Structure formats: structure tokens, C-alpha cells
């Protein structure tokens, strides 16, 4: 009779379908909280970036190594437990909603593959890092004067009698607007750059594409925001308070961000998909 010693690591090794169930549950919890929260610009991002992370994992499902250690599994369980307790104990989530996918994603990767094979999930981690970036991540960059100058040019080309003093734009109708940091377009630029980065993670790219697409994205984001500021300048005239509020603080404030992201997303998709159809032109990261 032969004595068979059990491998202690097998005690904490979780079957693939349990990992799938845990991941799906964490994603559902996060998306539900985001949907209930007052973060309109983050809601769409959360769905898209979660879908991207799931797609990346699915592509390499046959190459993943499921071999976690006891320590890695304990750390993974701990990260997920801390994230869930944080949600339950402190309902005021704030920034934590942005960090939740990164923390729980790291925990799930440790449960699945341990410390040794974490590198195989680097693309998913970058996806969640991009998702976690708040709108104020580029607050140190001030482009309000540039936006004011360009918006003034757009209004002049459109036939308005317009003057500018610093970041103040004044029309002959009596309408005037201040282009402060929040309206400078830096938030829209960050939003677009997030999606450009996501496209780089999802599709093979050449060095030319990695140089051109961010520049194109910044230009489109800046232009669409300048058009929005020009509209706000016209609507700032007395009697247009409701319309001004809609395009400044209401749902209308997100329209131009969606337009910029959609245009850049379409450019990325068709250009990068064209490269994907010709594997000889691919370049590794």
C-alpha cells in the first residue's frame, strides 16, 4: 500500500468555473454601484472597460497558467474581501468606485495564477488603471487661454462680433463667458486618450499609429470642446439661462465628449482593424 501525500497548494486552488463566477459577480456588483451612483461620465466608461478586460482574458484563455500558491491565494482573497467590506461599511464610495476593478482584478489574478504569472495579466491591469483615472488627472495642465483664443476664432469665422480679454469672451449681443479650467477641454482630452490607450491594448499597432492616434485624439477633443464653448458663449446672453444650464452642467455637457470619443473610436477601429487584417504589418509591443 502506497501513502500518497497531498499537495497543500491544491487546497486553495480554485477551479476555473469558480474563478469565472467570482469575476462575474465582482463585475456585476461594480456596474450596479456605478449605475446607482452620480457619475454620468464614468458609467459608460465602466461598461466599456470591463468589456475590454473580459475580451482580453477570453482571447488568451488557453494560454493562462492556473497555478496559485497558498500565499498568493490568501492575498487575493484578502484584496477582494477588503474591497467588498469597504463597499458594505462605507456607503460613500467616491474614488473607490474607480479603484474597485483594479483591486478586485488583482485579487482575482492572484487567485488564478499566483504571483509568478501576474505579468500575463498586464494588459487587463492597464485597462483598469485607465478606468481609475479621475477627470482631474490632468488638472495640472492649463489650456484655458488657448481654448479661449481658438473659441474666439471660431465665433469670428461664424460671423459674430467677438472680443477676448484673457480667458473672457464677449459678444456684441451682451453675452459673455469665462473659459475656466473645467471648460478648457482637458477633461475631454483625457477621456479621449483613455480610449486611444484602450485601442492600443485591444489591437496590434505600429509605431506610426502609436504616434499619430494620440495627436489626432487630442486635436478632435480640443476642437469639439471649443465648439461647445462657442455655443455656451452664444447662449450666455440674457434669456437663455435654461439652455445654457443644459449645455454647461446638464446632460448636454456630455454630448460633445461622446462625440469626440465616438469619432476617435471610429478612427481607431477602422485603422487598427485594417492593420489586423494584414498580420505581416503587426508590430509587438
Amino acid at each position: 500500500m502506497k501513502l500518497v501525500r497531498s499537495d497543500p497548494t491544491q487546497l486553495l486552488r480554485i477551479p476555473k468555473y469558480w474563478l469565472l463566477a467570482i469575476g462575474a459577480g465582482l463585475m456585476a456588483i461594480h456596474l450596479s454601484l456605478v449605475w446607482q451612483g452620480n457619475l454620468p461620465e464614468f458609467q459608460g466608461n465602466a461598461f466599456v472597460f470591463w468589456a475590454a478586460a473580459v475580451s482580453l482574458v477570453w482571447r488568451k484563455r488557453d494560454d493562462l497558467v492556473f497555478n496559485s500558491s497558498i500565499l498568493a491565494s490568501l492575498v487575493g482573497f484578502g484584496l477582494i474581501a477588503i474591497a467588498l467590506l469597504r463597499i458594505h461599511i462605507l456607503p460613500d464610495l467616491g474614488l473607490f468606485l474607480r479603484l474597485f476593478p483594479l483591486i478586485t482584478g488583482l485579487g482575482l489574478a492572484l487567485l488564478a495564477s499566483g504571483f509568478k504569472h501576474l505579468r500575463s495579466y498586464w494588459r487587463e491591469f492597464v485597462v483598469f488603471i485607465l478606468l481609475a483615472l479621475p477627470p482631474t488627472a490632468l488638472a495640472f495642465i492649463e489650456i484655458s487661454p488657448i481654448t479661449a483664443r481658438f473659441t474666439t476664432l471660431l465665433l469670428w469665422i461664424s460671423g459674430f462680433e467677438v472680443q477676448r480679454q484673457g480667458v473672457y469672451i464677449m459678444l456684441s449681443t451682451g453675452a459673455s463667458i469665462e473659459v475656466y479650467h473645467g471648460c478648457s477641454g482637458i477633461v475631454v482630452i483625457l477621456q479621449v486618450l483613455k480610449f486611444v490607450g484602450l485601442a492600443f491594448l485591444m489591437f496590434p499597432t505600429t509605431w506610426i499609429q502609436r504616434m499619430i492616434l494620440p495627436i489626432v485624439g487630442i486635436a478632435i477633443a480640443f476642437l469639439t470642446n471649443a465648439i461647445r464653448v462657442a455655443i455656451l458663449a452664444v447662449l450666455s446672453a440674457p434669456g437663455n439661462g435654461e439652455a445654457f444650464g443644459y449645455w454647461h452642467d446638464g446632460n448636454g455637457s456630455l454630448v460633445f465628449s461622446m462625440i469626440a470619443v465616438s469619432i476617435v473610436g471610429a478612427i481607431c477601429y477602422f485603422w487598427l482593424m485594417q492593420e489586423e487584417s494584414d498580420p505581416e504589418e503587426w508590430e509587438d509591443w
Side-chain angles (χ1 to χ4, degrees), residues 147 150-156 158 160 169 171 177 179 223-236:
T147 303
F150 190 76
T151 302
T152 302
L153 177 62
L154 289 180
L155 289 168
W156 179 75
S158 301
F160 290 94
I169 300 174
L171 299 177
I177 190 174
V179 184
L223 175 61
T224 53
N225 181 75
I227 294 173
R228 171 178 170 264
V229 174
I231 293 174
L232 289 174
V234 174
L235 293 177
S236 64

Side-chain angles (χ1 to χ4, degrees), residues 204-206 274-284:
T205 56
T206 65
Q274 183 179 1
E275 294 294 333
E276 188 174 5
S277 64
D278 187 2
E280 294 182 358
E281 296 187 10
W282 288 11
E283 291 186 9
D284 295 333

Side-chain angles (χ1 to χ4, degrees), residues 79-94:
L79 288 173
I80 294 174
I82 290 172
L84 294 176
L85 284 173
R86 168 65 176 81
I87 289 174
H88 179 71
I89 296 175
L90 299 174
D92 184 15
L93 299 177

Side-chain angles (χ1 to χ4, degrees), residues 66-283:
F66 295 93
N67 186 20
S68 182
S69 64
I70 293 179
L71 178 59
S73 297
L74 290 175
V75 173
F77 272 122
L79 288 173
I80 294 174
I82 290 172
L84 294 176
L85 284 173
R86 168 65 176 81
I87 289 174
H88 179 71
I89 296 175
L90 299 174
D92 184 15
L93 299 177
L95 180 63
F96 189 75
L97 267 183
R98 299 181 182 274
L99 296 174
F100 183 89
L102 180 60
I103 295 172
T104 55
L106 176 59
L108 194 61
L110 289 172
L111 286 176
S113 304
F115 293 107
K116 186 177 180 181
H117 301 285
L118 269 184
R119 188 179 183 278
S120 59
Y121 300 95
W122 74 269
R123 290 177 184 267
E124 291 79 0
F125 293 148
V126 174
V127 168
F128 290 142
I129 290 173
L130 290 175
L131 177 61
L133 291 176
T136 57
L138 298 180
F140 60 94
I141 300 176
E142 180 56 75
I143 61 172
S144 297
I146 301 174
T147 303
R149 290 190 184 96
F150 190 76
T151 302
T152 302
L153 177 62
L154 289 180
L155 289 168
W156 179 75
I157 293 175
S158 301
F160 290 94
E161 294 184 11
V162 58
Q163 293 181 341
R164 180 185 62 84
Q165 292 181 358
V167 294
Y168 291 90
I169 300 174
M170 296 155 287
L171 299 177
S172 60
T173 58
S176 64
I177 190 174
E178 177 188 0
V179 184
Y180 59 91
H181 185 80
C183 288
S184 66
I186 200 67
V187 174
V188 183
I189 289 173
L190 175 62
Q191 181 84 334
V192 166
L193 289 179
K194 282 186 179 183
F195 279 85
V196 171
L198 188 63
F200 289 169
L201 294 169
M202 297 293 295
F203 301 100
T205 56
T206 65
W207 68 271
I208 294 178
Q209 290 168 333
R210 292 195 289 270
M211 287 181 59
I212 293 178
L213 284 175
I215 296 174
V216 171
I218 292 172
I220 292 175
F222 181 81
L223 175 61
T224 53
N225 181 75
I227 294 173
R228 171 178 170 264
V229 174
I231 293 174
L232 289 174
V234 174
L235 293 177
S236 64
N240 295 324
E242 184 176 347
F244 181 86
Y246 175 80
W247 290 105
H248 185 259
D249 298 317
N251 293 331
S253 62
L254 301 177
V255 170
F256 285 93
S257 177
M258 294 173 57
I259 292 173
V261 169
S262 299
I263 294 173
V264 175
I267 293 173
C268 290
Y269 179 80
F270 288 109
W271 191 8
L272 299 183
M273 280 296 291
Q274 183 179 1
E275 294 294 333
E276 188 174 5
S277 64
D278 187 2
E280 294 182 358
E281 296 187 10
W282 288 11
E283 291 186 9

